[in-house]
Amino acid sequence: MFGETLDVGIGNCLDKFGREIDLGFPCGPKIEDLAKKGTQYLGLPYSIKGMDLAFSGLLTAAENYVRHGKRIEDVCYSLQETTFAMLTEVTERAMAHTEKQEVLLGGGVASNTRLRDMVQTMARDRGAHFFVPSKDVCVDNGAMIAWLGFLMYESGLRMSLDESLINQRFRTDMVEVTWRD
Amino acid sequence: MTKKILYRGAEAEIRLSEYMGKTVVLKQRVKKAYRIKEIDRHLIAYRTKEEAKLIAEARSYGVSVPLLYDVDLTKGAITMEYLAGSRVKDILNGLEESERKRICFKIGESIARLHNHDIIHGDITTSNMIFLHDRIHLIDFGLGCKNSELEAKGVDLHVLMEAFESTHSKYAHCFDYVIEGYSKKFQGDSSAVVKKIEEIVRRGRYR
Ligand SMILES: Nc1ncnc2c1ncn2[C@@H]1O[C@H](COP(=O)(O)OP(=O)(O)O)[C@@H](O)[C@H]1O
Ligand SMILES: [Mg+2]
């Protein structure tokens, strides 16, 4: 596994920011809309450690901009541009390191058009193929969870409805992989 | 004069070139179309400057790094010594275990020398180490910084641990040899750094 967050995840980061400035739920699409009206880039800390990322410093800085009366559209624009550039950079570094020519975007924030554009541009410039599920199945990690379920089913795993539940603490590296050697 | 591209990395193109009659490496950071120009310009200039500064400083502390010949911040280019050795990434898996152990020990010693002076490399992977004349040379300091905090040292080594787990997964235990070498040369409390690495791993799991 490459490129993990060292503090908060990107979805969480956007939600926290949205809550802080009372955007109302769901924050992601609201931030995306506001960002489209941003015109000025406000500098934010860009924090990459090897392949890992840190967002909390940047989140505090963005909240401070709002507190000091900067245009909310500009803060959202700067927040998106910075965090997504970090994500895209780490993705590109992982692709270069593993010498892969394909990239598949997943997760809730993958429904963000700007992020999709950035990763697609990166892939194009590397001569790599870019894939992303349609937006409606990105929400709440839908496509990712469904695909995992499919792989589990194919490899013979069965569970009853009672055993199928939501576990917020479940982590990607806790999945027992039985479909690869 | 500029020759063909030796290597196209994630953020830079590495070319063999000539400088005052010598074969040298030209590292050129390239523009990224996916990010806005404000971020692009800042990152290219900042990382070129940091990389040159940290390489020079590391050398002054006896860490093996390439010699610097020229730095151009606006172009984002560094001209440096060509280290005609092997990337550790490419040779490590094929070595005898005893030799692998010896090399990993040396890696740990080099990192400790950096950390003794609060130099954080920022991207310690085996792609960024060149083995030459029986020495580990560290390159690619663009994500580095000066930082005296324990956390920074822990994160720095954690990056290498992850690199071992992914690129050298059969030899992930060799990270222990790195820590042995590190502990020997590190002037601070290396057990505190090891604890920090463990804490970072735990934090990752329960986030
Ligand atoms: N001074 C050098 N001597 C020899 N090879 C080098 C030198 N600098 C870079 N390289 C080669 O180019 C590759 C990429 O350089 P690096 O500085 O790590 O850039 P990137 O940021 O793209 O990873 C290295 O892995 C190494 O193989
Ligand atoms: Mg490198």
Side-chain angles (χ1 to χ4, degrees):
Chain A
M1 198 180 307
F2 277 118
E4 287 191 277
T5 173
L6 292 163
D7 42 49
V8 291
I10 178 64
N12 207 344
C13 171
L14 295 177
D15 280 344
K16 278 190 170 157
F17 177 76
R19 244 179 279 137
E20 181 71 22
I21 60 167
D22 292 321
L23 278 187
F25 198 79
C27 306
K30 296 210 164 110
I31 293 174
E32 185 173 358
D33 282 342
L34 287 165
K36 283 186 192 129
K37 293 174 216 129
T39 50
Q40 202 205 340
Y41 178 72
L42 308 164
L44 287 170
Y46 187 102
S47 179
I48 284 185
K49 323 263 174 190
M51 300 247 186
D52 292 335
L53 308 135
F55 294 113
S56 65
L58 173 156
L59 180 61
T60 311
E63 287 167 0
N64 282 336
Y65 276 134
V66 178
R67 221 162 284 140
H68 291 113
K70 294 286 182 197
R71 265 183 85 222
I72 186 72
E73 292 85 352
D74 290 339
V75 184
C76 288
Y77 168 69
S78 307
L79 182 68
Q80 277 200 166
E81 289 301 324
T82 312
T83 53
F84 294 172
M86 287 164 63
L87 292 170
T88 309
E89 177 172 15
V90 165
T91 308
E92 179 164 25
R93 291 162 58 78
M95 289 172 76
H97 186 75
T98 57
E99 291 161 27
K100 299 283 185 203
Q101 292 300 320
E102 291 179 329
V103 56
L104 168 66
L105 197 60
V109 185
S111 60
N112 186 297
T113 304
R114 180 59 181 142
L115 179 62
R116 293 161 94 98
D117 283 351
M118 282 167 97
V119 177
Q120 183 162 32
T121 303
M122 178 274 284
R124 185 200 64 205
D125 290 352
R126 294 190 63 76
H129 296 284
F130 170 75
F131 304 93
V132 65
S134 69
K135 290 189 182 188
D136 52 334
V137 294
C138 284
V139 181
D140 289 337
N141 284 328
M144 249 162 75
I145 295 171
W147 180 247
L148 176 63
F150 173 77
L151 290 173
M152 285 175 156
Y153 185 84
E154 284 278 282
S155 75
L157 202 88
R158 299 287 182 275
M159 55 180 78
S160 67
L161 262 187
D162 294 340
E163 293 170 289
S164 320
L165 39 83
I166 294 163
N167 178 0
Q168 297 281 8
R169 298 272 99 185
F170 201 68
R171 299 251 322 150
T172 33
D173 63 355
M174 287 159 69
V175 176
E176 198 185 328
V177 178
T178 55
W179 52 91
R180 281 181 65 169
D181 13 74
Chain B
M1 92 159 249
T2 305
K3 292 187 194 160
K4 75 171 205 308
I5 292 182
L6 188 69
Y7 179 90
R8 180 175 277 125
E11 66 167 340
E13 289 169 357
I14 308 290
R15 287 188 180 81
L16 281 186
S17 181
E18 250 169 61
Y19 186 83
M20 300 188 22
K22 267 200 281 285
T23 299
V24 296
V25 159
L26 179 72
K27 176 169 181 172
Q28 169 79 63
R29 287 193 157 75
V30 293
K31 284 196 184 98
K32 296 288 172 186
Y34 67 77
R35 60 193 179 201
I36 56 173
K37 63 180 189 310
E38 289 92 330
I39 294 179
D40 196 61
R41 269 200 225 117
H42 170 257
L43 287 180
I44 289 176
Y46 182 79
R47 288 178 181 172
T48 305
K49 191 175 81 197
E50 282 302 298
E51 174 156 33
K53 230 169 58 186
L54 293 174
I55 286 179
E57 197 176 335
R59 165 168 291 269
S60 76
Y61 296 127
V63 182
S64 300
V65 289
L67 262 170
L68 294 180
Y69 296 118
D70 193 38
V71 181
D72 186 329
L73 293 187
T74 45
K75 283 192 191 144
I78 298 179
T79 308
M80 63 185 135
E81 176 187 4
Y82 172 50
L83 301 166
S86 321
R87 282 197 315 178
V88 173
K89 179 188 175 189
D90 301 326
I91 57 166
L92 199 69
N93 292 351
L95 295 174
E96 293 280 327
E97 178 68 13
S98 60
E99 181 64 359
R100 190 159 39 237
K101 179 173 180 173
R102 201 175 68 85
I103 300 238
C104 289
F105 195 87
K106 279 173 178 290
I107 293 173
E109 289 183 321
S110 296
I111 301 170
R113 285 199 190 94
L114 291 181
H115 285 189
N116 282 339
H117 300 280
D118 295 333
I119 299 176
I120 305 302
H121 182 283
D123 191 18
I124 315 180
T125 64
T126 47
S127 310
N128 291 331
M129 298 171 190
I130 294 176
F131 190 61
L132 176 68
H133 303 318
D134 205 39
R135 291 215 302 252
I136 299 290
H137 293 72
L138 297 176
I139 58 167
D140 203 1
F141 282 70
L143 293 180
C145 62
K146 289 292 294 272
N147 190 329
S148 60
E149 288 163 36
L150 187 60
E151 168 82 15
K153 297 185 175 85
V155 170
D156 215 21
L157 282 163
H158 181 251
V159 170
L160 182 62
M161 192 186 88
E162 286 187 317
F164 267 92
E165 285 171 357
S166 59
T167 317
H168 312 287
S169 52
K170 272 193 196 150
Y171 309 107
H173 65 276
C174 288
F175 185 70
D176 293 345
Y177 306 143
V178 174
I179 294 297
E180 274 178 38
Y182 183 86
S183 303
K184 189 183 148 217
K185 275 280 174 325
F186 185 56
Q187 287 158 3
D189 178 5
S190 60
S191 66
V193 181
V194 171
K195 279 213 194 77
K196 199 68 190 179
I197 300 170
E198 287 163 2
E199 184 200 312
I200 292 162
V201 172
R202 264 198 318 277
R203 249 192 274 156
R205 292 195 61 88
Y206 294 106
R207 193 165 298 119

